[in-house]
């Protein structure tokens, strides 16, 4: 294999995708459940690229000379792998035995078993091949979740079996590099698991777990979950998919003092913190007020459920002092029914490093100018008549926006909505748009002209039978009308509700992934198409092909 093919095979995209950002402690699986911040895709220009290794120096330039794979040193291949996506690494590891061995640390560095069948098959393989698990640094388990397709018939799985498998793997020392573990099961794991992880995975510093109805208020002071020390991240939250069934509980119950001691003792290391006890009707099961007594100089990410039940000015002083003591905060999320007063929001939005905020639009209504915030994730739904500019003001500095709109009334033009929205945030680079009804891709494409720097787009909409143009034709129109767009995803789903948005798990009917490239021979722009869907007989089909992007008039006709 020559060097040029090697670079093309690897794709040369920096793998910046880490564990799901703990705004809602759910991965948007792409599985995702938690809305994940868009990761910047860094690319390299190969026309003048010099790579230096310990044994040789190679200059990869556009020429007719070919370098064979066996002549490329391991350290150069490892450097290439560090810039690749997980899918690219997987494909590359299948090329030959040498790459399969060399890329194992990159392939199993972060493992996200995002749904039931994947948990079942993945843990069976890991139990039989412990050499794989020895490279795992991040492990995320999401049992009893569907795979995200309308034809999925995932059978429920015994969570106790999953925990037993994981405990055996950890006990035998086959997770020596594990630093991050997050559990999204229906109930809190048994206490012995946390003891095993703490005593046999000596590098673990970031832990997270969901809590269900049975374990919601079953915490005890001597729980092993609260015996960790020097944590960099801690995440405790109610199971989102089960919240509406959590009825029998005592509101604002105190959490064990050992939990707060563990967190306060990690003051010099804690960087991520999620505490969310949201239950039925946005009530809160836990008393979270002690969190404002903590001081964590390196805290970067904070996600809180409802803390206060009133709007007392005393609360403003407590929150304001807490925020002033945490100037390192970069990402803040208001979960459940958590709200900040006008005074607290003003203090929050003046933090010197704050770049990302997730919450409801109403919370930002009286916050003043959002001059520093670069990323906004709005968790409420909007009517197409909503005017974001009147509420948020000028957002020309905004780079990333996630918003959900309901076009079901269809009284106003969708294009008018896009014009009002994009006129206030013309510098957008990343956009995630969800609609609880059918959304016209043609009108969206026209509206996207107002954001000429847009690089990445994700659209989720309700599937419409006989909905006009094929998804591929609509994708070509979007590429033709928006030349700066480099990658986008269009997901068609059945009718969905707020729970799907919060969990990030949709019952997908059709998924199209598109990337725009320049043809290496004639310079034409081409659209790489990957479409997966569910047919009329509930069978899954795949289409992978390339189309030349013509001028707009040709695409429309």
């Amino acid at each position: 294999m020559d060097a040029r093919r090697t670079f093309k095979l690897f794709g040369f995209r920096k793998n910046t995708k880490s564990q799901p950002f703990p705004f809602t402690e759910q991965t948007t699986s792409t599985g995702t459940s938690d809305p994940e911040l868009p990761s910047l895709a860094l690319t390299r220009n190969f026309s003048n690229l010099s790579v230096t290794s310990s044994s040789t120096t190679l200059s990869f330039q556009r020429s007719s000379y070919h370098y064979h794979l066996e002549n490329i040193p391991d350290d150069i291949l490892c450097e290439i792998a560090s810039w690749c996506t997980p899918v690219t690494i997987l494909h590359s590891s299948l090329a030959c035995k040498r790459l399969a061995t060399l890329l194992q640390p990159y392939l199993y560095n972060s493992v996200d078993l995002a749904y039931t069948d994947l948990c079942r098959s993945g843990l069976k393989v890991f139990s039989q091949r412990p050499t794989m698990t020895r490279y795992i640094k991040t492990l995320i388990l999401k049992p009893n979740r569907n795979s995200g397709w309308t034809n999925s018939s995932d059978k429920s799985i015994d969570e106790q079996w999953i925990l037993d498998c994981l405990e055996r793997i950890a006990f035998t020392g086959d997770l020596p590099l594990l630093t991050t573990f997050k559990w999204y099961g229906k109930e809190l794991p048994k206490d012995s698991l946390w003891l095993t992880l703490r005593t046999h995975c000596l590098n673990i510093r970031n832990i997270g777990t969901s809590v269900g109805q049975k374990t919601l208020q079953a915490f005890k002071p001597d729980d092993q979950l609260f015996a960790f020390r020097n944590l960099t991240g801690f995440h405790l939250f109610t199971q989102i998919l089960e919240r509406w069934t959590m009825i029998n509980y005592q509101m604002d119950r105190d959490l064990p003092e050992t939990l707060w001691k563990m967190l306060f003792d990690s003051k010099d290391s804690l960087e991520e913190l999620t505490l969310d006890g949201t239950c039925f009707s946005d009530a809160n099961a836990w008393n979270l007020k002690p969190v404002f007594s903590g001081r964590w100089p390196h805290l970067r990410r904070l996600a809180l459920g409802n803390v206060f039940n009133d709007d007392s000015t005393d609360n403003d002083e407590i929150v304001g002092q807490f925020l002033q003591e945490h100037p390192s905060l970069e990402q803040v999320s208001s979960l459940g029914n958590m709200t900040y007063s006008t005074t607290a929001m003003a203090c929050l939005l003046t933090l010197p490093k704050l770049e990302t905020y997730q919450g409801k639009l109403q919370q930002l209504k009286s916050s003043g100018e959002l001059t520093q915030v670069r990323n906004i994730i709005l968790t409420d739904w909007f009517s197409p008549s909503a005017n974001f500019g009147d509420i948020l003001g000028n957002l020309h500095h905004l780079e990333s926006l996630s918003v959900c709109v309901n076009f079901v009334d269809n009284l106003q033009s969708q294009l008018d909505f896009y014009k009002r929205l994009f006129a206030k945030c013309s510098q957008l680079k990343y956009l995630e748009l969800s609609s609880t009804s059918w959304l016209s891709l043609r009108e969206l494409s026209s509206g996207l002209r107002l954001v000429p720097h847009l690089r990445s787009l994700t659209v989720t909409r309700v599937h419409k039978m006989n909905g006009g143009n094929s998804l591929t034709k609509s994708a070509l129109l979007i590429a033709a009308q928006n030349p700066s767009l480099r990658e986008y995803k269009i997901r068609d789903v059945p009718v969905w509700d707020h729970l799907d948005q919060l969990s990030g798990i949709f019952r997908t009917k059709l998924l199209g992934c598109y990337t725009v490239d320049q043809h290496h021979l004639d310079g034409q722009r081409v659209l790489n198409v990957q479409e997966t869907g569910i047919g009329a007989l509930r069978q899954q089909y795949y289409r992978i092909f390339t189309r030349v992007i013509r001028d707009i008039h040709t695409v429309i006709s």
Side-chain angles (χ1 to χ4, degrees):
M1 183 183 295
D2 58 64
R4 194 174 301 174
R5 283 190 62 194
T6 303
F7 285 112
K8 185 176 180 181
L9 173 66
F10 277 94
F12 253 83
R13 292 172 57 84
K14 181 66 175 176
N15 181 12
T16 58
K17 186 175 182 181
S18 63
Q19 72 273 10
F21 174 65
F23 268 157
T24 54
E25 272 310 310
Q26 66 230 9
T27 301
T28 27
S29 169
T30 48
T32 223
S33 79
D34 19 91
E36 200 172 328
L37 295 178
S39 52
L40 296 180
L42 307 180
T43 57
R44 287 185 173 182
N45 183 356
F46 312 125
S47 59
N48 186 20
L49 173 65
S50 296
V51 183
T52 305
S53 72
S54 58
S55 57
T56 184
T57 300
L58 301 177
S59 180
F60 293 97
Q61 297 181 342
R62 299 185 184 277
S63 67
S64 59
Y65 192 80
H66 291 240
Y67 295 94
H68 293 284
L69 178 62
E70 57 268 21
N71 296 329
I72 301 178
D74 287 353
D75 53 348
I76 292 182
L77 292 174
C78 290
E79 171 65 14
I80 295 174
S82 69
W83 286 77
C84 292
T85 63
V87 173
T88 302
I89 294 175
L90 174 61
H91 292 167
S92 304
S93 66
L94 301 176
C96 64
K97 189 173 182 180
R98 179 192 175 197
L99 286 180
T101 303
L102 190 64
L103 298 181
Q104 272 200 340
Y106 302 92
L107 187 60
Y108 299 108
N109 175 70
S110 179
V111 175
D112 183 358
L113 303 182
Y115 54 89
T116 302
D117 286 348
L118 202 55
C119 284
R120 181 183 291 110
S121 58
L123 287 172
K124 284 182 178 178
V125 172
F126 289 155
S127 298
Q128 298 167 359
R129 301 180 183 178
T131 54
M132 294 180 177
T133 63
R134 290 170 187 162
Y135 301 109
I136 296 178
K137 295 182 179 180
T138 299
L139 179 60
I140 302 173
L141 298 179
K142 300 173 185 176
N144 290 311
R145 290 195 177 191
N146 69 70
S147 60
W149 292 96
T150 55
N151 69 336
S152 62
S153 56
D154 301 323
K155 297 180 180 179
S156 62
I157 188 172
D158 182 6
E159 294 187 354
Q160 190 61 46
W161 175 83
I162 294 178
L163 297 172
D164 288 341
C165 285
L166 178 60
E167 196 168 341
R168 283 194 298 269
I169 293 172
F171 187 80
T172 54
D174 291 324
L175 289 170
L177 301 181
L178 187 68
T179 60
T180 300
F181 172 71
K182 294 183 182 179
W183 169 263
Y184 293 81
K186 287 186 175 181
E187 295 293 346
L188 179 75
K190 57 183 180 179
D191 209 39
S192 61
L193 174 69
W194 302 113
L195 176 62
T196 302
L197 291 177
R198 185 167 56 85
T199 55
H200 292 83
C201 304
L202 301 182
N203 294 310
I204 193 166
R205 292 293 181 270
N206 193 331
I207 57 175
T209 179
S210 58
V211 180
Q213 175 74 66
K214 297 178 181 178
T215 52
L216 182 64
Q217 296 180 328
F219 295 117
K220 300 186 294 294
D222 58 349
D223 283 345
Q224 293 297 325
L225 175 63
F226 309 138
F228 289 85
R229 292 293 179 266
N230 300 320
L231 291 175
T232 60
F234 182 77
H235 315 281
L236 183 66
F237 49 94
T238 51
Q239 170 56 265
I240 290 178
L241 299 178
E242 302 291 325
R243 281 179 178 173
W244 311 116
T245 64
M246 295 180 183
I247 301 176
N248 301 317
Y249 62 92
Q250 178 183 345
M251 289 182 58
D252 297 321
R253 186 168 179 175
D254 290 338
L255 290 167
E257 287 295 327
T258 48
L259 180 148
W260 300 113
K261 184 179 187 305
M262 175 185 69
L263 294 179
F264 297 157
D265 287 348
S266 300
K267 62 179 182 179
D268 294 327
S269 58
L270 197 70
E271 299 180 6
E272 304 174 2
L273 178 61
T274 300
L275 294 171
D276 181 18
T278 303
C279 293
F280 185 74
S281 299
D282 278 343
N284 201 58
W286 307 321
N287 174 19
L288 301 179
K289 292 181 183 178
V291 71
F292 291 120
S293 300
R295 295 295 182 266
W296 300 283
H298 305 290
L299 189 66
R300 297 184 298 110
R301 299 173 177 177
L302 176 66
L304 293 178
N306 192 25
V307 179
F308 301 112
N309 295 322
D310 55 67
D311 297 326
S312 169
T313 54
D314 294 337
N315 299 338
D316 288 345
E317 183 178 351
I318 295 172
V319 176
Q321 185 176 0
F322 174 82
L323 293 174
Q324 291 175 3
E325 294 289 339
H326 294 85
S328 59
L329 277 174
E330 301 172 4
Q331 302 169 343
V332 174
S333 176
S334 300
L335 307 178
N337 205 30
M338 175 62 181
T339 58
Y340 291 95
S341 67
T342 302
T343 304
M345 280 302 302
C347 183
L348 172 64
L349 296 174
T350 56
L351 292 175
K353 294 185 178 182
L354 185 69
E355 294 186 348
T356 302
Y357 181 79
Q358 180 187 23
K360 297 179 180 179
L361 183 65
Q362 189 67 22
Q363 297 168 357
L364 300 173
K365 187 173 183 179
S366 305
S367 58
E369 287 292 326
L370 304 176
T371 54
Q372 285 187 222
V373 180
R374 294 291 180 265
N375 313 294
I376 292 180
I377 302 173
L378 298 175
T379 56
D380 35 10
W381 293 2
F382 302 99
S383 162
S385 61
N387 194 335
F388 292 88
D390 293 343
I391 299 178
L392 300 180
N394 192 332
L395 294 173
H396 288 300
H397 57 279
L398 198 65
E399 296 180 359
S400 172
L401 176 65
S402 177
V403 63
C404 180
V405 64
N406 188 350
F407 290 116
V408 69
D409 51 21
N410 210 27
L411 298 177
Q412 293 194 357
S413 167
Q414 295 185 14
L415 183 57
D416 290 341
F417 169 77
Y418 299 134
K419 288 180 178 179
R420 291 195 305 274
L421 175 61
F422 298 143
K424 297 296 182 178
C425 48
S426 57
Q427 299 300 314
L428 274 182
K429 295 180 181 179
Y430 307 94
L431 174 64
E432 182 174 351
L433 180 64
S434 303
S435 174
T436 57
S437 56
W438 185 75
L439 177 150
S440 170
L441 294 176
R442 182 184 291 269
E443 293 192 42
L444 173 61
S445 179
S446 299
L448 290 177
R449 297 184 186 186
L450 296 174
V451 280
H453 305 291
L454 191 68
R455 295 167 54 184
S456 177
L457 170 69
T458 300
V459 177
T460 300
R461 63 175 188 169
V462 171
H463 181 72
K464 183 178 181 181
M465 299 298 295
N466 302 321
N469 291 338
S470 69
L471 202 59
T472 304
K473 192 169 184 178
S474 297
L476 283 167
L477 176 64
I478 292 175
Q481 289 185 322
N482 302 275
S484 65
L485 199 58
R486 290 292 174 261
E487 56 185 8
Y488 49 104
K489 181 188 298 182
I490 302 171
R491 179 193 291 117
D492 279 3
V493 300
V495 177
W496 55 283
D497 59 26
H498 199 218
L499 205 60
D500 297 324
Q501 182 195 19
L502 289 174
S503 65
I505 302 175
F506 300 91
R507 307 288 289 188
T508 305
K509 180 74 174 178
L510 178 61
L511 177 64
C513 299
Y514 310 93
T515 57
V516 179
D517 285 329
Q518 204 84 14
H519 197 279
H520 67 283
L521 293 179
D522 53 18
Q524 290 191 91
R525 295 173 68 235
V526 295
L527 185 69
N528 302 314
V529 179
Q530 296 183 30
E531 292 179 348
T532 308
I534 306 299
L537 300 178
R538 297 178 61 83
Q539 78 282 11
Q540 199 164 11
Y541 62 86
Y542 305 88
R543 291 195 292 255
I544 300 178
F545 53 91
T546 301
R547 290 286 184 270
V548 175
I549 301 174
R550 308 291 183 183
D551 61 83
I552 298 176
H553 300 291
T554 303
V555 172
I556 295 177
S557 61

